[in-house]
Amino acid sequence: MRVECLLNPGVFRFNGQTCLLLRVAERPEQKPGWTTFPIFSKEGKLKVLEFENSDPKLDRTDPRVLRYDGVDYLSTLSHLRLVVSGDGVNFKPNGVPPIFGRGELEAYGIEDCRVTQIDSTYYLTFTEVSGHGVGVGMRSTSDWKEITAHGMIFPPHNKDCAIFDSKIGGSYFALHRPSSPTLGGNYIWLAESPDLIHWGNHRCLARSRPGLWDSARVGAGAAPIRTPAGWLEIYHGADHNNRYCLGAMLLDLEQPWKILARSVEPIMEPTADYEQNGFFGKVVFTNGHFVDGDTLTLYYGASDSVICGAKFSIQEILHSLKPQRSPQCSAA
Ligand code: MAN
């Protein structure tokens, strides 16, 4: 296998170190004229599929997704790998075995893991991809040695799930992103749970906004950051040209289904060469950060190819937000 993309890391602190749970996307070396990619078989074995590029049944319009004879596949297979760092800049592996997709619902891999620490347990929520659809899986661990699988917690089509790191009014809350091809769209929703496994009381929280940088899709980044002003959520938004930027929204501390304020302009846009050109260009995408006082250290995937880091002042982000006219699920 060849690593095509190293992207979209989940971020957490463990034993005084900064840890990134990288998404590693692989496929075999591509032979001229052929498209070759791996999947896991039902028995959990790696299987390589190969199609001739000249085959009229093959659609390669989106470099991330392939369609053959009406069936969708991913062009790469992703798994997760842990690297650690004392300074947040220089990372090395720490011996934790890679985390691979397993079972029928993860046959095309696992992607974009958010890591939320609640007490001493880390909850991993990630995209599970297979021919059955794209949903959200959860695993948990307290020592990064034994990892417990909890199955799919949000069924297809759903991704971008970030669990809040503390209860609100006795319940757990999570942001997630169901998608509808007809009515509705790619909006951020809020769900509530008594036990982190069973989710209900679903509410539409934030919609894409016509004419703005987040006009086509929006999706949560990592766990919201608790500030005295409210829960600050960094999220991604894309327009109809698939240009991905980052913005922020502020949710009420006690009633997180109410948006108090939201970015009108992005807080980060793909501007550097490595953010504009790569496996899938014009993308900055985040699902991990850590907070130290007013400093938010954000890690993000650029052009779905490389991982970058950036520091923000939380106060500056808060000051940049504009009050939301209508607090619930509006495109205003
Ligand atoms: C989707 C996901 C992400 C990816 C972006 C940009 O949201 O596949 O993993 O980073 O698209 O391509």
Side-chain angles (χ1 to χ4, degrees):
M1 291 292 163
R2 184 192 140 105
V3 175
E4 290 291 346
C5 325
L6 207 55
L7 69 165
N8 305 358
V11 180
F12 59 96
R13 308 273 286 171
F14 183 61
N15 286 343
Q17 292 196 297
T18 300
C19 308
L20 303 188
L21 198 50
L22 315 177
R23 170 177 164 197
V24 182
E26 299 173 306
R27 66 179 170 194
E29 191 79 46
Q30 300 297 288
K31 292 182 291 184
W34 289 82
T35 293
T36 313
F37 59 93
I39 61 170
F40 285 116
S41 71
K42 274 206 176 101
E43 298 72 40
K45 297 255 165 11
L46 211 57
K47 203 167 120 184
V48 173
L49 304 188
E50 215 171 35
F51 298 110
E52 215 168 346
N53 290 347
S54 57
D55 191 330
K57 289 184 190 150
L58 183 67
D59 178 354
R60 300 187 299 139
T61 325
D62 186 326
R64 303 166 298 177
V65 184
L66 301 166
R67 170 164 281 223
Y68 186 80
D69 207 7
V71 181
D72 288 326
Y73 300 95
L74 293 184
S75 59
T76 57
L77 181 69
S78 291
H79 68 274
L80 309 174
R81 241 169 231 262
L82 193 61
V83 292
V84 300
S85 167
D87 62 7
V89 176
N90 299 288
F91 286 87
K92 57 176 195 317
N94 73 339
V96 169
I99 305 175
F100 289 100
R102 36 176 212 234
E104 232 183 284
L105 298 180
E106 300 176 355
Y108 299 175
I110 52 177
E111 306 180 347
D112 302 351
C113 189
R114 279 77 175 167
V115 182
T116 297
Q117 185 181 354
I118 304 177
D119 303 322
S120 56
T121 306
Y122 296 87
Y123 292 90
L124 284 58
T125 51
F126 48 86
T127 308
E128 295 180 295
V129 195
S130 77
H132 298 315
V134 175
V136 176
M138 185 168 82
R139 300 187 194 185
S140 67
T141 183
S142 9
D143 56 10
W144 292 94
K145 287 187 186 125
E146 260 185 57
I147 300 183
T148 309
H150 301 282
M152 189 177 266
I153 56 167
F154 291 102
H157 189 102
N158 208 313
K159 46 167 61 175
D160 301 327
C161 173
I163 296 176
F164 287 61
D165 63 9
S166 50
K167 284 183 166 177
I168 306 165
S171 291
Y172 294 105
F173 282 86
L175 302 169
H176 64 111
R177 214 285 301 281
S179 300
S180 167
T182 53
L183 286 177
N186 300 293
Y187 307 153
I188 299 174
W189 286 58
L190 183 76
E192 196 173 337
S193 172
D195 58 6
L196 296 160
I197 309 279
H198 304 91
W199 294 91
N201 200 9
H202 297 282
R203 300 177 226 227
C204 179
L205 181 72
R207 289 169 59 155
S208 45
R209 297 175 294 185
L212 291 189
W213 55 278
D214 54 2
S215 59
R217 53 187 65 240
V218 289
I225 303 156
R226 197 189 169 93
T227 76
W231 296 99
L232 177 65
E233 175 62 17
I234 311 297
Y235 72 96
H236 68 264
D239 63 17
H240 288 89
N241 295 318
N242 276 327
R243 181 173 184 267
Y244 282 70
C245 299
L246 302 181
M249 58 180 79
L250 188 67
L251 312 178
D252 186 274
L253 278 182
E254 307 302 328
Q255 300 179 301
W257 49 90
K258 289 190 177 160
I259 301 185
L260 305 175
R262 185 167 168 182
S263 300
V264 173
E265 299 296 330
I267 62 166
M268 183 184 263
E269 298 182 73
T271 50
D273 175 52
Y274 51 85
E275 295 166 342
Q276 301 211 47
N277 300 298
F279 185 79
F280 193 75
K282 300 193 179 57
V283 170
V284 291
F285 183 99
T286 188
N287 48 289
H289 60 240
F290 71 86
V291 173
D292 184 12
D294 180 53
T295 305
L296 171 69
T297 305
L298 188 94
Y299 293 89
Y300 66 98
S303 286
D304 283 357
S305 296
V306 292
I307 294 171
C308 310
K311 286 189 193 296
F312 289 85
S313 152
I314 291 177
Q315 281 310 314
E316 261 176 45
I317 297 178
L318 288 172
H319 284 135
S320 73
L321 306 182
K322 296 281 175 295
Q324 180 92 352
R325 270 181 280 141
S326 154
Q328 260 155 351
C329 211
S330 86

